[in-house]
């Protein structure tokens, strides 16, 4: 079916921000913000602030395509070819085809049974699309108390959904008592036709064709970061260590202490740049006082896991850093009477390439085919860093 684009080319620069450092940031589009930092075919998913409609933004030519999809109650969006998928109202999988103009919602049914269950609900954490199937990782929280406040059991599930006929089945589930409280689930990721997910303190590999578990590795602590696969090596952080695991044999290549304290602070997804692994924490110190919180950004040797350098930054590191022109860039979230972001930049050896500065955009970074750095916040910006 012919794809009709109704994008409008935005060529007028709406505003310009210049700094004493020589860095210039220009606003090229207003009234949009990124709803999920997912890039496919040089496009991003954006939503209009005024009406919540979903659009696709081409980062090369700045064209905007209105999908006609409403984002009411929808979170964690991901795009694949002509599909947009997401989580709706926590326990539904939303699938929309923006070429054929249809949208479907699939309810994830609960598997817990029993008269003594007072409250139970499904919380879908992540979705991915692969070969006309959606894979979703979800947790089902169960309470046997009338108030529903005390969670007594958790069922972790990996769900496979056929987009064409709506058939849905669990290809993995495990039930246990939530000794760690509310859990974090990460994945699914695909590698060599295998699906990798995390289940608290376990890494699970499932064969996509047979839906059977092929390998499991138990680690010392629960996973607290997004997953990254580079050259068949899986990198992630727990609440205490940074891991590198071979995805072929599921053996630990190395692990290194990352958190030097007993705090459950979430880490940001690791990134690879040349011979180093870089990772940041949401918090290094948390006070709850305006302007006093600090986060950490560190570099480790990719082969050995040895700490190469570490720096402490102001605020909360809540975005995945990127590499641009041999610089590592990220921004931190800060609150001191008002909310703002601070932009940081490092070379591979840990030297700051510019003085950190307050920057209106910067929640999400992308680099287009013209090697332009685009920043997304309250609008779309272009920077000459």
């Amino acid at each position: 079916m012919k794809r009709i684009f109704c994008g409008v080319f935005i060529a007028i620069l709406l505003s310009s921000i210049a700094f004493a450092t020589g860095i210039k940031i220009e606003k090229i589009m207003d009234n949009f913000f990124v709803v999920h930092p997912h890039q496919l075919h040089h496009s991003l998913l954006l939503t209009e602030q005024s009406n919540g409609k979903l659009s696709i933004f081409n980062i090369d030519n700045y064209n905007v395509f209105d999908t006609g999809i409403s984002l009411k109650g929808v979170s964690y969006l991901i795009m694949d070819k002509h599909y947009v998928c997401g989580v709706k109202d926590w326990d539904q999988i939303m699938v929309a085809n923006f070429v054929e103009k249809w949208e479907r919602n699939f309810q994830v049914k609960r598997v817990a049974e029993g008269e003594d269950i007072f409250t139970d609900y499904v919380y879908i954490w992540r979705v991915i699309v692969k070969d006309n199937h959606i894979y979703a990782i979800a947790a089902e929280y169960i309470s046997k108390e009338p108030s529903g406040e005390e969670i007594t059991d958790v069922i972790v599930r990996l769900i496979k959904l056929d987009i064409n006929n709506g058939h849905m089945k669990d290809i993995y589930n495990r039930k246990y008592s939530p000794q760690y409280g509310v859990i974090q689930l990460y994945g699914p990721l695909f590698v060599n036709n295998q699906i990798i997910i995390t289940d608290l303190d376990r890494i699970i590999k499932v064969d996509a064709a047979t839906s059977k578990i092929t390998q499991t590795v138990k680690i010392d602590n629960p996973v607290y970061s997004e997953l990254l696969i580079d050259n068949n090596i899986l990198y992630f952080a727990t609440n205490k260590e940074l891991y590198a695991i071979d995805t072929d044999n599921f053996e630990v290549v190395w692990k290194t202490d990352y958190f030097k304290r007993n705090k459950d602070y979430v880490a940001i997804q690791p990134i690879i740049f040349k011979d180093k692994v870089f990772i940041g924490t949401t918090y290094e110190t948390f006070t709850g006082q305006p302007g006093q919180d600090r986060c950490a950004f560190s570099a480790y040797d990719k082969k050995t896991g040895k700490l190469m350098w570490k720096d402490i930054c102001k605020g909360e590191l809540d975005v995945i850093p990127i590499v641009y022109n041999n610089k590592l860039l990220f921004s931190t979230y800060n609150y001191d009477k008002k909310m703002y972001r601070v932009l940081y930049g490092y070379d591979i050896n840990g030297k700051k390439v510019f003085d950190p500065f307050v920057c209106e955009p910067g929640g999400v970074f992308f680099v287009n085919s013209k090697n332009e750095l685009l920043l997304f916040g309250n609008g779309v910006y272009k920077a000459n860093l």
Side-chain angles (χ1 to χ4, degrees), residues 43 85 92 159 175 330 349:
S43 298
C85 304
Q92 297 178 53
I159 300 162
K175 181 179 178 180
F330 61 86
N349 297 312

Side-chain angles (χ1 to χ4, degrees), residues 252-301:
V252 176
V253 179
W254 52 258
K255 70 173 182 176
T256 183
D257 289 340
Y258 180 69
F259 299 97
K260 299 295 184 182
R261 65 217 173 280
N262 293 320
K263 298 289 185 181
D264 291 345
Y265 293 153
V266 179
I268 302 303
Q269 174 188 300
I271 64 169
I272 303 293
F273 179 36
K274 296 183 179 179
D275 61 345
K276 294 181 176 63
V277 183
F278 296 87
I279 192 168
T281 59
T282 51
Y283 294 111
E284 177 72 9
T285 58
F286 176 75
T287 65
Q289 300 298 316
Q292 300 301 311
D293 297 331
R294 297 294 182 266
C295 57
F297 187 62
S298 307
Y300 295 83
D301 185 276

Side-chain angles (χ1 to χ4, degrees), residues 5-16:
F5 285 90
C6 56
V8 178
F9 181 76
I10 306 296
I12 301 174
L13 299 179
L14 299 177
S15 62
S16 176

Side-chain angles (χ1 to χ4, degrees), residues 30 133 227 375:
D30 208 353
H133 287 84
L227 313 178
L375 287 67

Side-chain angles (χ1 to χ4, degrees), residues 7-63:
V8 178
F9 181 76
I10 306 296
I12 301 174
L13 299 179
L14 299 177
S15 62
S16 176
I17 307 170
F19 300 91
T21 58
I23 296 172
K24 187 178 182 181
I25 298 179
E26 301 170 319
K27 194 171 190 178
I28 61 174
M29 186 177 294
D30 208 353
N31 198 35
F32 284 94
F33 63 92
V34 173
V35 291
H36 185 68
H38 176 73
Q39 182 177 355
L40 180 72
H41 305 311
H42 305 286
S43 298
L44 295 176
L45 298 175
L46 304 181
T47 184
E48 289 190 60
Q49 295 173 328
S50 59
N51 56 26
K53 294 290 186 179
L54 179 67
S55 297
I56 297 175
F57 174 69
N58 187 297
I59 64 175
D60 290 332
N61 58 25
Y62 309 155
N63 278 342

